[in-house]
């Protein structure tokens, strides 16, 4: 075994002493710290809350698969996204041969349709009078997104992208909604 130089032994000793002092100080500080107060759950009045309906993951998957089936019958290669009422993605499926841009476009169309509780094909028309709508992050104002509703309230959005037209994308998205009936 090689013998260390005096300088290396002194440096190593100084490092070990500093670590020991730091550890002792941390242990001492923890031992003398007062116990933290027990956290108590906040009481919230029921009038300050609301209940909302959400689409289950299994229902979202069923709708997405119905979209891909409808597109396949017409030899179209698409991607489909299903988002919840808050715009969170529940399911995305990229069909065989769908273009790389279709995935993100489907998510944005689904988000846009649930946000406004309207098919994106209708929302495109709103751009004529309010063109700055298209500047809202995460939205895409092209045909192919439809909301899923319960009692006229949006609970999810289905977005489809990849077909040659927004009309076809929307037709396939509606097939996904129909699968939920």
């Amino acid at each position: 075994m090689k013998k260390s130089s005096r300088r290396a032994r002194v440096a190593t000793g100084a490092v070990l002493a500093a670590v020991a002092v730091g550890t002792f100080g941390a242990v001492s500080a923890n031992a003398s710290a007062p116990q933290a107060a027990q956290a108590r759950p906040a009481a919230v009045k029921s009038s300050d809350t609301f209940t909302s309906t959400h689409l289950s993951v299994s229902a979202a998957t069923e709708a997405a698969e119905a979209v891909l089936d409808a597109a396949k019958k017409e030899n179209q290669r698409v991607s489909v996204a299903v988002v919840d009422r808050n715009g969170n993605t529940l399911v995305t499926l990229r069909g065989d041969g769908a273009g790389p841009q279709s995935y993100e476009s489907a998510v944005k169309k689904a988000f846009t349709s649930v946000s406004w509780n309207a098919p994106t094909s209708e929302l495109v028309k709103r751009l004529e009078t309010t063109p700055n709508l298209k500047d809202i992050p995460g939205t895409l104002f092209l045909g192919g997104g439809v909301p899923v509703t319960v009692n006229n309230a949006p609970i999810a959005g289905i977005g489809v992208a990849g077909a040659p037209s927004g009309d076809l994308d929307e037709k396939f998205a509606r097939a996904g909604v129909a699968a939920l009936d």
Side-chain angles (χ1 to χ4, degrees), residues 87-112:
N88 299 311
T89 303
L90 293 171
V91 174
T92 52
L93 296 176
R94 185 175 174 269
D96 294 335
Q101 78 290 353
S102 65
Y103 182 89
E104 184 177 346
S105 297
V107 172
K108 288 182 176 185
K109 289 178 182 183
F111 175 79
T112 304

Side-chain angles (χ1 to χ4, degrees), residues 1 14 18 29 35 38 46 50 58 79 86 124 141 147 170 172 178:
M1 190 184 243
Q35 292 294 328
Q38 292 290 332
S46 62
F50 69 93
S58 63
S79 290
N86 301 319
V124 170
F141 291 86
E170 187 169 316
F172 302 142

Side-chain angles (χ1 to χ4, degrees), residues 123-139:
L123 296 171
V124 170
K125 298 171 190 168
R126 294 186 193 178
L127 290 177
E128 294 172 13
T129 57
T130 316
N132 60 341
L133 281 178
K134 69 180 177 348
D135 298 331
I136 297 172
T139 60

Side-chain angles (χ1 to χ4, degrees), residues 42-114:
V44 178
K45 298 179 293 192
S46 62
S47 62
D48 291 338
T49 65
F50 69 93
T51 302
S52 62
T53 303
H54 291 269
L55 193 64
S56 69
V57 171
S58 63
T61 302
E62 181 180 333
E65 288 173 345
V67 166
L68 291 183
D69 289 344
K72 187 175 182 178
K73 288 177 185 172
E74 296 192 29
N75 291 326
Q76 297 299 318
R77 296 177 174 112
V78 300
S79 290
V80 58
V82 182
V83 300
D84 68 10
R85 174 61 185 110
N86 301 319
N88 299 311
T89 303
L90 293 171
V91 174
T92 52
L93 296 176
R94 185 175 174 269
D96 294 335
Q101 78 290 353
S102 65
Y103 182 89
E104 184 177 346
S105 297
V107 172
K108 288 182 176 185
K109 289 178 182 183
F111 175 79
T112 304
S113 69
V114 76

Side-chain angles (χ1 to χ4, degrees), residues 55 59-60 62-63 66 147-151 155 158 173-181:
L55 193 64
E62 181 180 333
V148 177
T149 62
V150 171
N151 298 325
I155 64 163
I158 299 176
R174 289 188 185 281
V177 173
L180 298 173
D181 290 335

